[in-house]
């Protein structure tokens, strides 16, 4: 009996690691990888351009107000109140534009990206289902934040729920993108996501990839930031320090372009690799 159990365990482990190996082998530099990488690159640059444009536009219009407020004798709370009083509409406008453009970019580009990752063609029907799927995800997020807001006695439970929701979201998204059937994708998400132990090693691989990307980007930042005079933020930085840092960043955008381009390429490459590897593993389950 013990030998049979041991044999079954060995067989399951061999099958499990063969699936990880298969997912790794399928994550190769082929036409699919190149296509997804280009789209990830466009998405990354589009979001970066959007963020920097909104930042530059805000400080171009609100810069004099911020300078006058921060150079005075106002406390941090008074400065925040005055800033929102004088530039509140501009802040809300920037946030609204950012959300709208980000949502459009996300649906358009992510739809193509995920369909290509699972080797499927894009369709208008898929886009409609993708919007509905993301609305359901947002609703679930709102519920979690609501639970967090009404009860502080839950401690880390809302954070665990958030991690599990994101885990479920991506598995369902991959399954749904493959089948183009929303309810089938959600059903597959429930079926696969609860077996969390099967995803431990893939997640460790993704964490290693993430830290490798971070180390490389930080190295690039160190090499290219010698001509910048930005005051770095720390844990003890005040709201005024954050505002001043953002203002300096907005003023230094032309000097940041080489870093933005190189770091964008690096981030897009690692993102593409992680996306395809994870999708291939999910599909083996």
């Amino acid at each position: 009996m013990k030998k049979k159990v041991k044999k079954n365990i060995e067989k399951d482990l061999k099958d499990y690691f063969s699936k990880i190996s298969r997912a790794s082998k399928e994550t190769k530099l082929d036409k699919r990888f190149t296509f997804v990488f280009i789209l990830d690159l466009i998405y990354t640059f589009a979001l970066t351009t959007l963020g920097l444009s909104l930042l530059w536009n805000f400080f171009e219009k609100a810069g004099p107000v911020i300078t006058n407020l921060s150079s005075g004798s106002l406390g941090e709370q008074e400065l925040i109140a005055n800033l929102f009083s004088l530039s509140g509409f501009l802040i809300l406008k920037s946030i609204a534009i950012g959300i709208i453009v980000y949502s459009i970019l996300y649906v358009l580009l992510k739809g193509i990206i995920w369909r290509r990752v699972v080797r499927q063609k894009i369709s208008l029907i898929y886009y409609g289902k993708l919007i509905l799927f993301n609305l359901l995800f947002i609703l679930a997020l709102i519920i979690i934040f609501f639970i967090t807001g009404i009860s502080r006695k839950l401690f880390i439970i809302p954070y665990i729920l958030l991690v599990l929701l994101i885990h479920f979201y991506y598995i369902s998204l991959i399954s749904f993108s493959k089948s183009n059937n929303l309810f089938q994708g959600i059903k597959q998400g429930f079926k696969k996501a609860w077996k969390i132990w099967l995803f431990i090693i893939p997640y460790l691989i993704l964490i290693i990839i993430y830290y490798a990307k971070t180390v490389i980007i930080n190295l690039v930042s160190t090499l290219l930031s010698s001509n910048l005079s930005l005051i770095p933020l720390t844990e003890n930085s005040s709201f005024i320090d954050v505002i001043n840092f953002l203002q300096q960043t907005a003023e230094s955008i032309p000097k940041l372009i080489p870093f933005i381009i190189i770091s964008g390429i690096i981030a897009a490459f690692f993102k593409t690799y992680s996306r395809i590897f994870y999708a291939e593993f999910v599909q083996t389950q």
Side-chain angles (χ1 to χ4, degrees), residues 47-64 66 90-91 93-95 97-98 230 242-254 256 260:
L47 285 188
T48 304
T49 303
L50 172 65
L52 292 177
S53 297
L54 292 174
L55 188 68
W56 181 83
N57 183 61
F58 174 77
F59 281 105
E60 183 187 37
K61 295 178 179 178
I66 294 169
L90 185 59
I91 293 172
K93 180 183 174 183
S94 298
I95 293 172
I97 292 173
L230 297 178
V242 174
I243 291 295
N244 288 332
F245 175 81
L246 291 175
Q247 190 169 13
Q248 288 177 345
T249 301
E251 293 169 352
S252 304
I253 287 176
L256 288 170
I260 292 170

Side-chain angles (χ1 to χ4, degrees), residues 17-229:
F17 283 106
S18 70
K19 289 178 179 178
I20 295 176
S21 176
R22 195 185 317 156
S24 180
K25 289 177 181 177
E26 287 296 321
T27 312
K28 52 190 175 184
L29 301 177
D30 54 8
K31 290 181 180 179
R32 175 182 60 159
F33 190 100
T34 304
F35 185 82
V36 175
F37 168 67
I38 291 171
L39 287 178
D40 267 325
L41 194 59
I42 292 171
Y43 180 75
T44 301
F45 284 150
L47 285 188
T48 304
T49 303
L50 172 65
L52 292 177
S53 297
L54 292 174
L55 188 68
W56 181 83
N57 183 61
F58 174 77
F59 281 105
E60 183 187 37
K61 295 178 179 178
V65 175
I66 294 169
T67 302
N68 291 333
L69 290 175
S70 59
S71 61
S73 56
L74 295 176
E76 187 167 313
Q77 296 299 324
E78 292 175 300
L79 189 144
I80 294 172
N82 278 275
L83 177 61
F84 275 91
S85 175
L86 296 170
S87 306
F89 175 75
L90 185 59
I91 293 172
L92 292 175
K93 180 183 174 183
S94 298
I95 293 172
I97 292 173
I99 292 173
I100 292 170
V101 177
Y102 170 77
S103 300
I104 294 171
L105 282 172
Y106 185 89
V107 172
L108 286 177
L109 291 178
K110 290 296 183 179
I112 301 173
I113 286 170
W114 281 112
R115 286 288 280 181
R116 194 67 191 91
V117 164
V118 295
R119 303 181 190 277
Q120 298 295 319
K121 294 180 180 179
I122 194 68
S123 68
L124 290 176
I125 297 175
Y126 172 77
Y127 270 123
K129 294 176 181 178
L130 179 62
I131 292 171
L132 177 59
F133 179 71
N134 282 297
L135 288 175
L136 292 173
F137 175 68
I138 292 170
L139 178 62
L141 279 178
I142 291 171
I143 292 171
I144 290 177
F145 288 134
F146 178 74
I147 293 172
T148 306
I150 62 174
S151 178
R152 296 181 179 179
K153 297 179 181 180
L154 296 176
F155 300 107
I156 64 169
I157 293 177
Y159 299 102
I160 294 174
L161 289 175
L162 181 61
V163 171
L164 291 176
L165 178 63
I166 294 171
H167 169 67
F168 166 77
Y169 171 81
Y170 280 106
I171 294 174
S172 300
L173 176 61
I174 292 164
S175 301
F176 152 56
S177 298
K178 180 70 175 179
S179 64
N180 202 17
N181 186 318
L182 179 57
F183 296 104
Q184 182 67 24
I186 292 174
K187 181 182 176 182
Q188 286 295 314
F190 279 113
K191 184 179 179 181
K192 295 177 180 181
W194 73 273
K195 300 176 182 178
I196 300 174
W197 60 89
L198 295 177
F199 291 85
I200 292 175
I201 293 179
Y203 281 143
L204 285 174
I205 292 172
L206 293 180
I207 290 170
I208 291 170
I209 292 171
Y210 172 80
Y211 276 104
K213 177 196 74 175
T214 305
V215 168
I216 294 172
I217 289 178
N218 286 338
L219 180 61
V220 172
S221 175
T222 303
L223 294 173
L224 297 179
S225 63
S226 57
N227 60 336
L228 297 177
S229 57

